[in-house]
Amino acid sequence: MAPLTLTMAMLFETADDLGMISMALRAFMIFVATLIFLRIAGRRSFGQKTAFDLCITVLLGAVLSRAIVGASAMMPTLAAGAVLVLAHRLLAMLAIRWPLLDRLINGAERMLVENGRKNDEQMRAGLVSERDIDEALRKKLGNASRQAILCAVLERNGEITIVPHLPK
């Protein structure tokens, strides 16, 4: 039986046949790097759940996983991950300053129901059905009718916010 040896190449270069230990070490290294990247990206990466924020999650996972399985070398993969995170952070910072960029990146909310009346045009544009609104209504108010809604808004993150009429 050959002695167990771990070379730097097994950790940092591409490899077709990684052993259990080298892949486990790669996974740990990528885990630590991902934690650092997500701290750099900021809390909004997972908190907002907009398409813009989902991009960083999906792309970072896709890119960094390549280093774990040896499909790509470690350092170039980490560099690509860092670029994605920094680009996400930069765009988020710019979107704070320029509302038009924010609207382009994150979209705008849509008024689906106002004073109990549905807006078919906004519902179609937001790909929201009456059943989606009814579900959001049940979650917010229980078994109320649509007339109990002051407004229903499709938020930029895809959630439907229900604002009930205040009781008189």
Side-chain angles (χ1 to χ4, degrees):
M1 189 171 205
L4 180 62
T5 57
L6 193 62
T7 65
M8 292 304 274
M10 292 172 138
L11 290 178
F12 293 102
E13 301 301 322
T14 60
D16 289 331
D17 188 26
L18 290 175
M20 180 174 54
I21 292 175
S22 58
M23 191 174 287
L25 286 173
R26 283 171 173 252
F28 179 74
M29 292 166 54
I30 292 298
F31 175 77
V32 170
T34 303
L35 282 176
I36 293 167
F37 287 161
L38 292 176
R39 294 294 295 153
I40 292 168
R43 293 177 187 220
R44 75 167 282 153
S45 299
F46 288 107
Q48 301 269 330
K49 297 180 186 141
T50 62
F52 172 63
D53 298 317
L54 186 59
C55 281
I56 188 65
T57 306
V58 172
L59 287 172
L60 198 56
V63 167
L64 295 180
S65 68
R66 296 184 56 78
I68 294 174
V69 298
S72 297
M74 182 75 68
M75 298 316 283
T77 302
L78 288 173
V83 166
L84 288 172
V85 167
L86 292 173
H88 178 268
R89 185 163 182 95
L90 176 64
L91 280 172
M93 290 168 58
L94 293 174
I96 290 169
R97 292 183 187 255
W98 289 298
L100 179 60
L101 180 61
D102 180 47
R103 188 177 175 108
L104 284 171
I105 291 172
N106 291 305
E109 62 280 342
R110 296 182 179 279
M111 187 67 68
L112 304 173
V113 176
E114 193 164 14
N115 291 320
R117 293 189 185 131
K118 64 181 179 145
N119 183 328
D120 290 322
E121 183 180 321
Q122 289 296 314
M123 288 174 63
R124 268 192 304 278
L127 302 175
V128 175
S129 71
E130 289 188 40
R131 291 178 64 185
D132 294 328
I133 293 173
D134 291 342
E135 178 182 345
L137 179 60
R138 284 190 302 275
K139 286 180 180 178
K140 175 74 176 185
L141 300 176
N143 205 11
S145 73
R146 209 170 293 136
Q147 272 52 42
I149 302 175
L150 179 62
C151 67
V153 180
L154 178 62
E155 303 294 353
R156 300 180 326 157
N157 66 2
E159 293 180 19
I160 298 174
T161 300
I162 300 290
V163 179
H165 281 290
L166 294 175
K168 295 179 182 179

